[in-house]
PDB file of all heavy atoms in Angstrom:
ATOM      1  N   ASP A   1     -39.001 -38.549 -33.997  1.00  0.00           N
ATOM      2  CA  ASP A   1     -38.885 -38.024 -32.636  1.00  0.00           C
ATOM      3  C   ASP A   1     -39.385 -36.525 -32.572  1.00  0.00           C
ATOM      4  O   ASP A   1     -39.866 -36.149 -31.486  1.00  0.00           O
ATOM      5  CB  ASP A   1     -37.448 -38.050 -32.223  1.00  0.00           C
ATOM      6  CG  ASP A   1     -36.903 -39.507 -31.964  1.00  0.00           C
ATOM      7  OD1 ASP A   1     -37.774 -40.366 -31.700  1.00  0.00           O
ATOM      8  OD2 ASP A   1     -35.711 -39.701 -32.070  1.00  0.00           O
ATOM      9  N   LEU A   2     -39.272 -35.848 -33.653  1.00  0.00           N
ATOM     10  CA  LEU A   2     -39.761 -34.476 -33.677  1.00  0.00           C
ATOM     11  C   LEU A   2     -41.281 -34.436 -33.838  1.00  0.00           C
ATOM     12  O   LEU A   2     -41.955 -33.690 -33.146  1.00  0.00           O
ATOM     13  CB  LEU A   2     -39.107 -33.691 -34.795  1.00  0.00           C
ATOM     14  CG  LEU A   2     -37.584 -33.586 -34.817  1.00  0.00           C
ATOM     15  CD1 LEU A   2     -37.121 -32.796 -36.044  1.00  0.00           C
ATOM     16  CD2 LEU A   2     -37.058 -32.918 -33.542  1.00  0.00           C
ATOM     17  N   PHE A   3     -41.814 -35.210 -34.792  1.00  0.00           N
ATOM     18  CA  PHE A   3     -43.233 -35.193 -35.055  1.00  0.00           C
ATOM     19  C   PHE A   3     -44.049 -35.746 -33.880  1.00  0.00           C
ATOM     20  O   PHE A   3     -45.195 -35.270 -33.679  1.00  0.00           O
ATOM     21  CB  PHE A   3     -43.546 -36.076 -36.329  1.00  0.00           C
ATOM     22  CG  PHE A   3     -42.931 -35.546 -37.569  1.00  0.00           C
ATOM     23  CD1 PHE A   3     -42.391 -36.430 -38.476  1.00  0.00           C
ATOM     24  CD2 PHE A   3     -42.848 -34.181 -37.818  1.00  0.00           C
ATOM     25  CE1 PHE A   3     -41.821 -35.954 -39.688  1.00  0.00           C
ATOM     26  CE2 PHE A   3     -42.302 -33.712 -39.022  1.00  0.00           C
ATOM     27  CZ  PHE A   3     -41.765 -34.589 -39.922  1.00  0.00           C
ATOM     28  N   LEU A   4     -43.505 -36.691 -33.164  1.00  0.00           N
ATOM     29  CA  LEU A   4     -44.262 -37.397 -32.139  1.00  0.00           C
ATOM     30  C   LEU A   4     -43.970 -36.950 -30.746  1.00  0.00           C
ATOM     31  O   LEU A   4     -44.358 -37.607 -29.752  1.00  0.00           O
ATOM     32  CB  LEU A   4     -44.043 -38.927 -32.260  1.00  0.00           C
ATOM     33  CG  LEU A   4     -44.521 -39.528 -33.612  1.00  0.00           C
ATOM     34  CD1 LEU A   4     -44.198 -40.965 -33.721  1.00  0.00           C
ATOM     35  CD2 LEU A   4     -46.015 -39.307 -33.787  1.00  0.00           C
ATOM     36  N   ASN A   5     -43.328 -35.795 -30.595  1.00  0.00           N
ATOM     37  CA  ASN A   5     -43.136 -35.172 -29.280  1.00  0.00           C
ATOM     38  C   ASN A   5     -43.928 -33.869 -29.296  1.00  0.00           C
ATOM     39  O   ASN A   5     -43.562 -32.916 -29.948  1.00  0.00           O
ATOM     40  CB  ASN A   5     -41.620 -34.896 -29.017  1.00  0.00           C
ATOM     41  CG  ASN A   5     -41.368 -34.313 -27.676  1.00  0.00           C
ATOM     42  OD1 ASN A   5     -42.018 -33.306 -27.276  1.00  0.00           O
ATOM     43  ND2 ASN A   5     -40.506 -34.937 -26.892  1.00  0.00           N
ATOM     44  N   PRO A   6     -45.014 -33.805 -28.598  1.00  0.00           N
ATOM     45  CA  PRO A   6     -45.946 -32.657 -28.676  1.00  0.00           C
ATOM     46  C   PRO A   6     -45.248 -31.348 -28.334  1.00  0.00           C
ATOM     47  O   PRO A   6     -45.478 -30.302 -28.943  1.00  0.00           O
ATOM     48  CB  PRO A   6     -47.058 -32.977 -27.689  1.00  0.00           C
ATOM     49  CG  PRO A   6     -47.082 -34.449 -27.606  1.00  0.00           C
ATOM     50  CD  PRO A   6     -45.637 -34.886 -27.781  1.00  0.00           C
ATOM     51  N   GLU A   7     -44.389 -31.380 -27.283  1.00  0.00           N
ATOM     52  CA  GLU A   7     -43.738 -30.148 -26.844  1.00  0.00           C
ATOM     53  C   GLU A   7     -42.769 -29.661 -27.919  1.00  0.00           C
ATOM     54  O   GLU A   7     -42.713 -28.483 -28.211  1.00  0.00           O
ATOM     55  CB  GLU A   7     -42.948 -30.412 -25.544  1.00  0.00           C
ATOM     56  CG  GLU A   7     -43.818 -30.620 -24.321  1.00  0.00           C
ATOM     57  CD  GLU A   7     -44.425 -32.009 -24.219  1.00  0.00           C
ATOM     58  OE1 GLU A   7     -43.996 -32.914 -24.983  1.00  0.00           O
ATOM     59  OE2 GLU A   7     -45.380 -32.179 -23.449  1.00  0.00           O
ATOM     60  N   THR A   8     -42.040 -30.592 -28.511  1.00  0.00           N
ATOM     61  CA  THR A   8     -41.046 -30.243 -29.536  1.00  0.00           C
ATOM     62  C   THR A   8     -41.744 -29.770 -30.827  1.00  0.00           C
ATOM     63  O   THR A   8     -41.393 -28.750 -31.447  1.00  0.00           O
ATOM     64  CB  THR A   8     -40.166 -31.447 -29.876  1.00  0.00           C
ATOM     65  OG1 THR A   8     -39.484 -31.867 -28.717  1.00  0.00           O
ATOM     66  CG2 THR A   8     -39.149 -31.073 -30.943  1.00  0.00           C
ATOM     67  N   ALA A   9     -42.795 -30.513 -31.218  1.00  0.00           N
ATOM     68  CA  ALA A   9     -43.591 -30.129 -32.415  1.00  0.00           C
ATOM     69  C   ALA A   9     -44.170 -28.737 -32.268  1.00  0.00           C
ATOM     70  O   ALA A   9     -44.221 -27.959 -33.220  1.00  0.00           O
ATOM     71  CB  ALA A   9     -44.634 -31.179 -32.742  1.00  0.00           C
ATOM     72  N   THR A  10     -44.694 -28.453 -31.055  1.00  0.00           N
ATOM     73  CA  THR A  10     -45.264 -27.152 -30.791  1.00  0.00           C
ATOM     74  C   THR A  10     -44.203 -26.040 -30.896  1.00  0.00           C
ATOM     75  O   THR A  10     -44.420 -25.036 -31.517  1.00  0.00           O
ATOM     76  CB  THR A  10     -45.881 -27.127 -29.361  1.00  0.00           C
ATOM     77  OG1 THR A  10     -46.958 -28.085 -29.331  1.00  0.00           O
ATOM     78  CG2 THR A  10     -46.394 -25.772 -29.019  1.00  0.00           C
ATOM     79  N   GLU A  11     -43.053 -26.288 -30.291  1.00  0.00           N
ATOM     80  CA  GLU A  11     -41.996 -25.316 -30.374  1.00  0.00           C
ATOM     81  C   GLU A  11     -41.581 -25.031 -31.789  1.00  0.00           C
ATOM     82  O   GLU A  11     -41.419 -23.859 -32.178  1.00  0.00           O
ATOM     83  CB  GLU A  11     -40.774 -25.823 -29.554  1.00  0.00           C
ATOM     84  CG  GLU A  11     -39.619 -24.818 -29.497  1.00  0.00           C
ATOM     85  CD  GLU A  11     -38.426 -25.314 -28.703  1.00  0.00           C
ATOM     86  OE1 GLU A  11     -38.569 -26.386 -28.105  1.00  0.00           O
ATOM     87  OE2 GLU A  11     -37.412 -24.605 -28.680  1.00  0.00           O
ATOM     88  N   ILE A  12     -41.433 -26.052 -32.599  1.00  0.00           N
ATOM     89  CA  ILE A  12     -41.020 -25.879 -33.986  1.00  0.00           C
ATOM     90  C   ILE A  12     -42.108 -25.170 -34.801  1.00  0.00           C
ATOM     91  O   ILE A  12     -41.825 -24.301 -35.640  1.00  0.00           O
ATOM     92  CB  ILE A  12     -40.658 -27.217 -34.640  1.00  0.00           C
ATOM     93  CG1 ILE A  12     -39.428 -27.811 -33.935  1.00  0.00           C
ATOM     94  CG2 ILE A  12     -40.416 -27.115 -36.119  1.00  0.00           C
ATOM     95  CD1 ILE A  12     -39.098 -29.273 -34.347  1.00  0.00           C
ATOM     96  N   THR A  13     -43.355 -25.537 -34.518  1.00  0.00           N
ATOM     97  CA  THR A  13     -44.477 -24.866 -35.211  1.00  0.00           C
ATOM     98  C   THR A  13     -44.485 -23.359 -34.993  1.00  0.00           C
ATOM     99  O   THR A  13     -44.754 -22.541 -35.890  1.00  0.00           O
ATOM    100  CB  THR A  13     -45.800 -25.446 -34.738  1.00  0.00           C
ATOM    101  OG1 THR A  13     -45.879 -26.813 -35.030  1.00  0.00           O
ATOM    102  CG2 THR A  13     -46.982 -24.751 -35.357  1.00  0.00           C
ATOM    103  N   LEU A  14     -44.138 -22.961 -33.741  1.00  0.00           N
ATOM    104  CA  LEU A  14     -44.182 -21.538 -33.365  1.00  0.00           C
ATOM    105  C   LEU A  14     -42.989 -20.719 -33.849  1.00  0.00           C
ATOM    106  O   LEU A  14     -43.023 -19.495 -33.827  1.00  0.00           O
ATOM    107  CB  LEU A  14     -44.341 -21.428 -31.850  1.00  0.00           C
ATOM    108  CG  LEU A  14     -45.657 -21.974 -31.256  1.00  0.00           C
ATOM    109  CD1 LEU A  14     -45.564 -21.956 -29.738  1.00  0.00           C
ATOM    110  CD2 LEU A  14     -46.842 -21.143 -31.758  1.00  0.00           C
ATOM    111  N   GLN A  15     -41.889 -21.384 -34.208  1.00  0.00           N
ATOM    112  CA  GLN A  15     -40.673 -20.674 -34.560  1.00  0.00           C
ATOM    113  C   GLN A  15     -40.847 -19.675 -35.667  1.00  0.00           C
ATOM    114  O   GLN A  15     -40.456 -18.505 -35.514  1.00  0.00           O
ATOM    115  CB  GLN A  15     -39.532 -21.668 -34.888  1.00  0.00           C
ATOM    116  CG  GLN A  15     -38.963 -22.367 -33.672  1.00  0.00           C
ATOM    117  CD  GLN A  15     -37.928 -23.424 -33.988  1.00  0.00           C
ATOM    118  OE1 GLN A  15     -37.832 -23.874 -35.108  1.00  0.00           O
ATOM    119  NE2 GLN A  15     -37.205 -23.895 -33.005  1.00  0.00           N
ATOM    120  N   PRO A  16     -41.432 -20.044 -36.820  1.00  0.00           N
ATOM    121  CA  PRO A  16     -41.587 -19.040 -37.893  1.00  0.00           C
ATOM    122  C   PRO A  16     -42.603 -17.972 -37.530  1.00  0.00           C
ATOM    123  O   PRO A  16     -42.520 -16.838 -38.056  1.00  0.00           O
ATOM    124  CB  PRO A  16     -42.003 -19.875 -39.094  1.00  0.00           C
ATOM    125  CG  PRO A  16     -42.645 -21.097 -38.497  1.00  0.00           C
ATOM    126  CD  PRO A  16     -41.861 -21.370 -37.253  1.00  0.00           C
ATOM    127  N   VAL A  17     -43.606 -18.323 -36.714  1.00  0.00           N
ATOM    128  CA  VAL A  17     -44.596 -17.328 -36.321  1.00  0.00           C
ATOM    129  C   VAL A  17     -43.918 -16.227 -35.504  1.00  0.00           C
ATOM    130  O   VAL A  17     -44.141 -15.012 -35.690  1.00  0.00           O
ATOM    131  CB  VAL A  17     -45.693 -17.997 -35.510  1.00  0.00           C
ATOM    132  CG1 VAL A  17     -46.718 -16.965 -35.010  1.00  0.00           C
ATOM    133  CG2 VAL A  17     -46.420 -19.089 -36.305  1.00  0.00           C
ATOM    134  N   LYS A  18     -43.058 -16.633 -34.582  1.00  0.00           N
ATOM    135  CA  LYS A  18     -42.327 -15.678 -33.732  1.00  0.00           C
ATOM    136  C   LYS A  18     -41.362 -14.827 -34.571  1.00  0.00           C
ATOM    137  O   LYS A  18     -41.217 -13.625 -34.390  1.00  0.00           O
ATOM    138  CB  LYS A  18     -41.537 -16.408 -32.634  1.00  0.00           C
ATOM    139  CG  LYS A  18     -42.431 -17.090 -31.596  1.00  0.00           C
ATOM    140  CD  LYS A  18     -41.612 -17.862 -30.590  1.00  0.00           C
ATOM    141  CE  LYS A  18     -42.526 -18.539 -29.583  1.00  0.00           C
ATOM    142  NZ  LYS A  18     -41.738 -19.388 -28.647  1.00  0.00           N
ATOM    143  N   ARG A  19     -40.686 -15.458 -35.512  1.00  0.00           N
ATOM    144  CA  ARG A  19     -39.680 -14.797 -36.273  1.00  0.00           C
ATOM    145  C   ARG A  19     -40.261 -13.872 -37.355  1.00  0.00           C
ATOM    146  O   ARG A  19     -39.801 -12.716 -37.567  1.00  0.00           O
ATOM    147  CB  ARG A  19     -38.739 -15.774 -36.938  1.00  0.00           C
ATOM    148  CG  ARG A  19     -37.565 -15.132 -37.686  1.00  0.00           C
ATOM    149  CD  ARG A  19     -36.739 -16.189 -38.448  1.00  0.00           C
ATOM    150  NE  ARG A  19     -35.711 -16.787 -37.628  1.00  0.00           N
ATOM    151  CZ  ARG A  19     -34.466 -16.325 -37.490  1.00  0.00           C
ATOM    152  NH1 ARG A  19     -34.127 -15.216 -38.123  1.00  0.00           N
ATOM    153  NH2 ARG A  19     -33.541 -16.965 -36.793  1.00  0.00           N
ATOM    154  N   PHE A  20     -41.307 -14.357 -38.087  1.00  0.00           N
ATOM    155  CA  PHE A  20     -41.788 -13.637 -39.259  1.00  0.00           C
ATOM    156  C   PHE A  20     -43.180 -13.023 -39.056  1.00  0.00           C
ATOM    157  O   PHE A  20     -43.716 -12.341 -39.949  1.00  0.00           O
ATOM    158  CB  PHE A  20     -41.854 -14.611 -40.454  1.00  0.00           C
ATOM    159  CG  PHE A  20     -40.541 -15.236 -40.771  1.00  0.00           C
ATOM    160  CD1 PHE A  20     -40.417 -16.602 -40.776  1.00  0.00           C
ATOM    161  CD2 PHE A  20     -39.411 -14.489 -41.092  1.00  0.00           C
ATOM    162  CE1 PHE A  20     -39.252 -17.272 -41.067  1.00  0.00           C
ATOM    163  CE2 PHE A  20     -38.230 -15.106 -41.420  1.00  0.00           C
ATOM    164  CZ  PHE A  20     -38.116 -16.486 -41.393  1.00  0.00           C
ATOM    165  N   LYS A  21     -43.812 -13.266 -37.925  1.00  0.00           N
ATOM    166  CA  LYS A  21     -45.124 -12.758 -37.647  1.00  0.00           C
ATOM    167  C   LYS A  21     -46.122 -13.186 -38.747  1.00  0.00           C
ATOM    168  O   LYS A  21     -46.936 -12.372 -39.228  1.00  0.00           O
ATOM    169  CB  LYS A  21     -45.156 -11.218 -37.548  1.00  0.00           C
ATOM    170  CG  LYS A  21     -44.148 -10.696 -36.538  1.00  0.00           C
ATOM    171  CD  LYS A  21     -44.522 -11.131 -35.143  1.00  0.00           C
ATOM    172  CE  LYS A  21     -43.590 -10.456 -34.104  1.00  0.00           C
ATOM    173  NZ  LYS A  21     -42.775 -11.343 -33.323  1.00  0.00           N
ATOM    174  N   THR A  22     -46.067 -14.457 -39.113  1.00  0.00           N
ATOM    175  CA  THR A  22     -46.963 -14.944 -40.138  1.00  0.00           C
ATOM    176  C   THR A  22     -48.435 -14.899 -39.659  1.00  0.00           C
ATOM    177  O   THR A  22     -48.719 -14.907 -38.462  1.00  0.00           O
ATOM    178  CB  THR A  22     -46.649 -16.409 -40.486  1.00  0.00           C
ATOM    179  OG1 THR A  22     -46.627 -17.199 -39.322  1.00  0.00           O
ATOM    180  CG2 THR A  22     -45.278 -16.497 -41.195  1.00  0.00           C
ATOM    181  N   SER A  23     -49.352 -14.854 -40.623  1.00  0.00           N
ATOM    182  CA  SER A  23     -50.767 -14.800 -40.298  1.00  0.00           C
ATOM    183  C   SER A  23     -51.316 -16.114 -39.766  1.00  0.00           C
ATOM    184  O   SER A  23     -52.430 -16.171 -39.226  1.00  0.00           O
ATOM    185  CB  SER A  23     -51.580 -14.362 -41.473  1.00  0.00           C
ATOM    186  OG  SER A  23     -51.076 -13.130 -42.055  1.00  0.00           O
ATOM    187  N   ALA A  24     -50.569 -17.181 -40.010  1.00  0.00           N
ATOM    188  CA  ALA A  24     -50.988 -18.497 -39.551  1.00  0.00           C
ATOM    189  C   ALA A  24     -49.795 -19.371 -39.218  1.00  0.00           C
ATOM    190  O   ALA A  24     -48.720 -19.205 -39.760  1.00  0.00           O
ATOM    191  CB  ALA A  24     -51.815 -19.194 -40.652  1.00  0.00           C
ATOM    192  N   ALA A  25     -50.061 -20.304 -38.332  1.00  0.00           N
ATOM    193  CA  ALA A  25     -49.106 -21.378 -38.064  1.00  0.00           C
ATOM    194  C   ALA A  25     -49.669 -22.634 -38.738  1.00  0.00           C
ATOM    195  O   ALA A  25     -50.887 -22.812 -38.772  1.00  0.00           O
ATOM    196  CB  ALA A  25     -48.978 -21.605 -36.539  1.00  0.00           C
ATOM    197  N   ILE A  26     -48.805 -23.475 -39.226  1.00  0.00           N
ATOM    198  CA  ILE A  26     -49.204 -24.772 -39.713  1.00  0.00           C
ATOM    199  C   ILE A  26     -48.468 -25.838 -38.904  1.00  0.00           C
ATOM    200  O   ILE A  26     -47.263 -25.697 -38.694  1.00  0.00           O
ATOM    201  CB  ILE A  26     -48.989 -24.976 -41.209  1.00  0.00           C
ATOM    202  CG1 ILE A  26     -49.550 -26.331 -41.698  1.00  0.00           C
ATOM    203  CG2 ILE A  26     -47.509 -24.792 -41.592  1.00  0.00           C
ATOM    204  CD1 ILE A  26     -49.680 -26.500 -43.193  1.00  0.00           C
ATOM    205  N   ILE A  27     -49.241 -26.750 -38.355  1.00  0.00           N
ATOM    206  CA  ILE A  27     -48.630 -27.692 -37.407  1.00  0.00           C
ATOM    207  C   ILE A  27     -47.452 -28.431 -38.007  1.00  0.00           C
ATOM    208  O   ILE A  27     -47.520 -28.864 -39.154  1.00  0.00           O
ATOM    209  CB  ILE A  27     -49.692 -28.701 -36.898  1.00  0.00           C
ATOM    210  CG1 ILE A  27     -49.243 -29.382 -35.657  1.00  0.00           C
ATOM    211  CG2 ILE A  27     -50.146 -29.671 -37.975  1.00  0.00           C
ATOM    212  CD1 ILE A  27     -49.026 -28.487 -34.443  1.00  0.00           C
ATOM    213  N   PHE A  28     -46.403 -28.542 -37.224  1.00  0.00           N
ATOM    214  CA  PHE A  28     -45.187 -29.266 -37.672  1.00  0.00           C
ATOM    215  C   PHE A  28     -45.470 -30.752 -37.617  1.00  0.00           C
ATOM    216  O   PHE A  28     -45.470 -31.350 -36.542  1.00  0.00           O
ATOM    217  CB  PHE A  28     -43.973 -28.916 -36.836  1.00  0.00           C
ATOM    218  CG  PHE A  28     -42.694 -29.544 -37.263  1.00  0.00           C
ATOM    219  CD1 PHE A  28     -42.085 -29.137 -38.441  1.00  0.00           C
ATOM    220  CD2 PHE A  28     -42.176 -30.588 -36.557  1.00  0.00           C
ATOM    221  CE1 PHE A  28     -40.888 -29.766 -38.841  1.00  0.00           C
ATOM    222  CE2 PHE A  28     -41.000 -31.261 -36.917  1.00  0.00           C
ATOM    223  CZ  PHE A  28     -40.326 -30.797 -38.120  1.00  0.00           C
ATOM    224  N   SER A  29     -45.722 -31.345 -38.791  1.00  0.00           N
ATOM    225  CA  SER A  29     -46.019 -32.744 -38.899  1.00  0.00           C
ATOM    226  C   SER A  29     -45.632 -33.182 -40.290  1.00  0.00           C
ATOM    227  O   SER A  29     -44.789 -32.591 -40.936  1.00  0.00           O
ATOM    228  CB  SER A  29     -47.544 -32.992 -38.594  1.00  0.00           C
ATOM    229  OG  SER A  29     -47.796 -34.369 -38.532  1.00  0.00           O
ATOM    230  N   ASP A  30     -46.229 -34.305 -40.751  1.00  0.00           N
ATOM    231  CA  ASP A  30     -45.898 -34.813 -42.083  1.00  0.00           C
ATOM    232  C   ASP A  30     -47.089 -35.539 -42.642  1.00  0.00           C
ATOM    233  O   ASP A  30     -47.856 -36.136 -41.877  1.00  0.00           O
ATOM    234  CB  ASP A  30     -44.664 -35.760 -41.983  1.00  0.00           C
ATOM    235  CG  ASP A  30     -44.066 -36.029 -43.334  1.00  0.00           C
ATOM    236  OD1 ASP A  30     -44.548 -36.936 -44.029  1.00  0.00           O
ATOM    237  OD2 ASP A  30     -43.066 -35.382 -43.650  1.00  0.00           O
ATOM    238  N   ILE A  31     -47.258 -35.529 -43.966  1.00  0.00           N
ATOM    239  CA  ILE A  31     -48.354 -36.245 -44.556  1.00  0.00           C
ATOM    240  C   ILE A  31     -48.253 -37.766 -44.313  1.00  0.00           C
ATOM    241  O   ILE A  31     -49.272 -38.465 -44.300  1.00  0.00           O
ATOM    242  CB  ILE A  31     -48.500 -35.980 -46.100  1.00  0.00           C
ATOM    243  CG1 ILE A  31     -47.278 -36.499 -46.882  1.00  0.00           C
ATOM    244  CG2 ILE A  31     -48.770 -34.493 -46.335  1.00  0.00           C
ATOM    245  CD1 ILE A  31     -47.490 -36.436 -48.407  1.00  0.00           C
ATOM    246  N   LEU A  32     -47.032 -38.228 -44.056  1.00  0.00           N
ATOM    247  CA  LEU A  32     -46.860 -39.678 -43.837  1.00  0.00           C
ATOM    248  C   LEU A  32     -47.262 -40.117 -42.423  1.00  0.00           C
ATOM    249  O   LEU A  32     -47.065 -41.302 -42.117  1.00  0.00           O
ATOM    250  CB  LEU A  32     -45.428 -40.079 -44.171  1.00  0.00           C
ATOM    251  CG  LEU A  32     -45.007 -39.844 -45.636  1.00  0.00           C
ATOM    252  CD1 LEU A  32     -43.589 -40.328 -45.899  1.00  0.00           C
ATOM    253  CD2 LEU A  32     -46.026 -40.470 -46.628  1.00  0.00           C
ATOM    254  N   MET A  33     -47.727 -39.223 -41.620  1.00  0.00           N
ATOM    255  CA  MET A  33     -48.321 -39.629 -40.378  1.00  0.00           C
ATOM    256  C   MET A  33     -49.546 -40.499 -40.608  1.00  0.00           C
ATOM    257  O   MET A  33     -49.905 -41.310 -39.752  1.00  0.00           O
ATOM    258  CB  MET A  33     -48.667 -38.424 -39.515  1.00  0.00           C
ATOM    259  CG  MET A  33     -47.499 -37.645 -38.937  1.00  0.00           C
ATOM    260  SD  MET A  33     -46.523 -38.590 -37.754  1.00  0.00           S
ATOM    261  CE  MET A  33     -45.213 -39.201 -38.776  1.00  0.00           C
ATOM    262  N   VAL A  34     -50.186 -40.340 -41.764  1.00  0.00           N
ATOM    263  CA  VAL A  34     -51.354 -41.181 -42.079  1.00  0.00           C
ATOM    264  C   VAL A  34     -50.997 -42.610 -42.244  1.00  0.00           C
ATOM    265  O   VAL A  34     -51.558 -43.524 -41.546  1.00  0.00           O
ATOM    266  CB  VAL A  34     -52.087 -40.612 -43.283  1.00  0.00           C
ATOM    267  CG1 VAL A  34     -53.131 -41.639 -43.794  1.00  0.00           C
ATOM    268  CG2 VAL A  34     -52.805 -39.315 -42.945  1.00  0.00           C
ATOM    269  N   PRO A  35     -50.026 -43.002 -43.131  1.00  0.00           N
ATOM    270  CA  PRO A  35     -49.670 -44.413 -43.209  1.00  0.00           C
ATOM    271  C   PRO A  35     -49.048 -44.924 -41.921  1.00  0.00           C
ATOM    272  O   PRO A  35     -49.233 -46.077 -41.519  1.00  0.00           O
ATOM    273  CB  PRO A  35     -48.654 -44.493 -44.347  1.00  0.00           C
ATOM    274  CG  PRO A  35     -48.287 -43.103 -44.659  1.00  0.00           C
ATOM    275  CD  PRO A  35     -49.424 -42.249 -44.217  1.00  0.00           C
ATOM    276  N   TYR A  36     -48.353 -44.070 -41.184  1.00  0.00           N
ATOM    277  CA  TYR A  36     -47.804 -44.446 -39.871  1.00  0.00           C
ATOM    278  C   TYR A  36     -48.937 -44.816 -38.937  1.00  0.00           C
ATOM    279  O   TYR A  36     -48.905 -45.839 -38.205  1.00  0.00           O
ATOM    280  CB  TYR A  36     -46.991 -43.298 -39.267  1.00  0.00           C
ATOM    281  CG  TYR A  36     -46.553 -43.507 -37.854  1.00  0.00           C
ATOM    282  CD1 TYR A  36     -45.435 -44.299 -37.584  1.00  0.00           C
ATOM    283  CD2 TYR A  36     -47.249 -42.966 -36.801  1.00  0.00           C
ATOM    284  CE1 TYR A  36     -45.018 -44.531 -36.256  1.00  0.00           C
ATOM    285  CE2 TYR A  36     -46.820 -43.188 -35.505  1.00  0.00           C
ATOM    286  CZ  TYR A  36     -45.728 -43.961 -35.181  1.00  0.00           C
ATOM    287  OH  TYR A  36     -45.362 -44.160 -33.923  1.00  0.00           O
ATOM    288  N   GLY A  37     -50.022 -44.016 -38.953  1.00  0.00           N
ATOM    289  CA  GLY A  37     -51.158 -44.288 -38.079  1.00  0.00           C
ATOM    290  C   GLY A  37     -51.887 -45.589 -38.492  1.00  0.00           C
ATOM    291  O   GLY A  37     -52.504 -46.212 -37.646  1.00  0.00           O
ATOM    292  N   LEU A  38     -51.729 -45.988 -39.736  1.00  0.00           N
ATOM    293  CA  LEU A  38     -52.348 -47.226 -40.199  1.00  0.00           C
ATOM    294  C   LEU A  38     -51.478 -48.446 -39.912  1.00  0.00           C
ATOM    295  O   LEU A  38     -51.876 -49.561 -40.161  1.00  0.00           O
ATOM    296  CB  LEU A  38     -52.577 -47.146 -41.716  1.00  0.00           C
ATOM    297  CG  LEU A  38     -53.765 -46.188 -42.129  1.00  0.00           C
ATOM    298  CD1 LEU A  38     -53.757 -46.066 -43.671  1.00  0.00           C
ATOM    299  CD2 LEU A  38     -55.071 -46.718 -41.651  1.00  0.00           C
ATOM    300  N   GLY A  39     -50.287 -48.187 -39.384  1.00  0.00           N
ATOM    301  CA  GLY A  39     -49.408 -49.298 -39.025  1.00  0.00           C
ATOM    302  C   GLY A  39     -48.323 -49.586 -40.039  1.00  0.00           C
ATOM    303  O   GLY A  39     -47.605 -50.605 -39.859  1.00  0.00           O
ATOM    304  N   GLN A  40     -48.175 -48.756 -41.062  1.00  0.00           N
ATOM    305  CA  GLN A  40     -47.094 -49.019 -41.985  1.00  0.00           C
ATOM    306  C   GLN A  40     -45.791 -48.469 -41.444  1.00  0.00           C
ATOM    307  O   GLN A  40     -45.699 -47.339 -40.969  1.00  0.00           O
ATOM    308  CB  GLN A  40     -47.388 -48.321 -43.349  1.00  0.00           C
ATOM    309  CG  GLN A  40     -46.452 -48.704 -44.444  1.00  0.00           C
ATOM    310  CD  GLN A  40     -46.828 -48.143 -45.789  1.00  0.00           C
ATOM    311  OE1 GLN A  40     -47.753 -47.326 -45.909  1.00  0.00           O
ATOM    312  NE2 GLN A  40     -46.159 -48.555 -46.868  1.00  0.00           N
ATOM    313  N   GLU A  41     -44.759 -49.304 -41.494  1.00  0.00           N
ATOM    314  CA  GLU A  41     -43.451 -48.893 -40.895  1.00  0.00           C
ATOM    315  C   GLU A  41     -42.877 -47.710 -41.628  1.00  0.00           C
ATOM    316  O   GLU A  41     -42.771 -47.681 -42.862  1.00  0.00           O
ATOM    317  CB  GLU A  41     -42.520 -50.099 -40.995  1.00  0.00           C
ATOM    318  CG  GLU A  41     -41.210 -49.909 -40.208  1.00  0.00           C
ATOM    319  CD  GLU A  41     -40.344 -51.145 -40.270  1.00  0.00           C
ATOM    320  OE1 GLU A  41     -40.835 -52.243 -40.008  1.00  0.00           O
ATOM    321  OE2 GLU A  41     -39.106 -51.042 -40.527  1.00  0.00           O
ATOM    322  N   LEU A  42     -42.477 -46.699 -40.874  1.00  0.00           N
ATOM    323  CA  LEU A  42     -42.007 -45.420 -41.449  1.00  0.00           C
ATOM    324  C   LEU A  42     -40.651 -45.037 -40.818  1.00  0.00           C
ATOM    325  O   LEU A  42     -40.475 -45.167 -39.641  1.00  0.00           O
ATOM    326  CB  LEU A  42     -42.994 -44.280 -41.198  1.00  0.00           C
ATOM    327  CG  LEU A  42     -42.609 -42.886 -41.503  1.00  0.00           C
ATOM    328  CD1 LEU A  42     -42.380 -42.675 -43.019  1.00  0.00           C
ATOM    329  CD2 LEU A  42     -43.677 -41.890 -41.031  1.00  0.00           C
ATOM    330  N   SER A  43     -39.725 -44.615 -41.671  1.00  0.00           N
ATOM    331  CA  SER A  43     -38.440 -44.105 -41.201  1.00  0.00           C
ATOM    332  C   SER A  43     -38.008 -42.951 -42.089  1.00  0.00           C
ATOM    333  O   SER A  43     -38.478 -42.764 -43.190  1.00  0.00           O
ATOM    334  CB  SER A  43     -37.387 -45.185 -41.184  1.00  0.00           C
ATOM    335  OG  SER A  43     -37.216 -45.710 -42.475  1.00  0.00           O
TER     336      SER A  43
END
């Protein structure tokens, strides 16, 4: 629900940037989005 809601994923991605002023944001997602995208059941 977090990974697949763009508004929520964006908000979470930006949280450490706002707090720590990091030089980069890395998108809040997961490497297992790849098998999910291929149709493998993920939980």
Side-chain angles (χ1 to χ4, degrees):
D1 291 337
L2 301 179
F3 297 141
L4 298 175
N5 183 307
E7 290 78 15
T8 301
T10 296
E11 183 179 354
I12 294 171
T13 299
L14 294 172
Q15 285 175 347
V17 178
K18 292 175 180 177
R19 184 185 275 269
F20 304 120
K21 307 295 185 242
T22 54
S23 307
I26 184 165
I27 196 65
F28 181 73
S29 186
D30 195 277
I31 65 170
L32 298 184
M33 289 295 97
V34 167
Y36 173 81
L38 289 171
Q40 188 173 10
E41 189 176 312
L42 171 65
S43 60

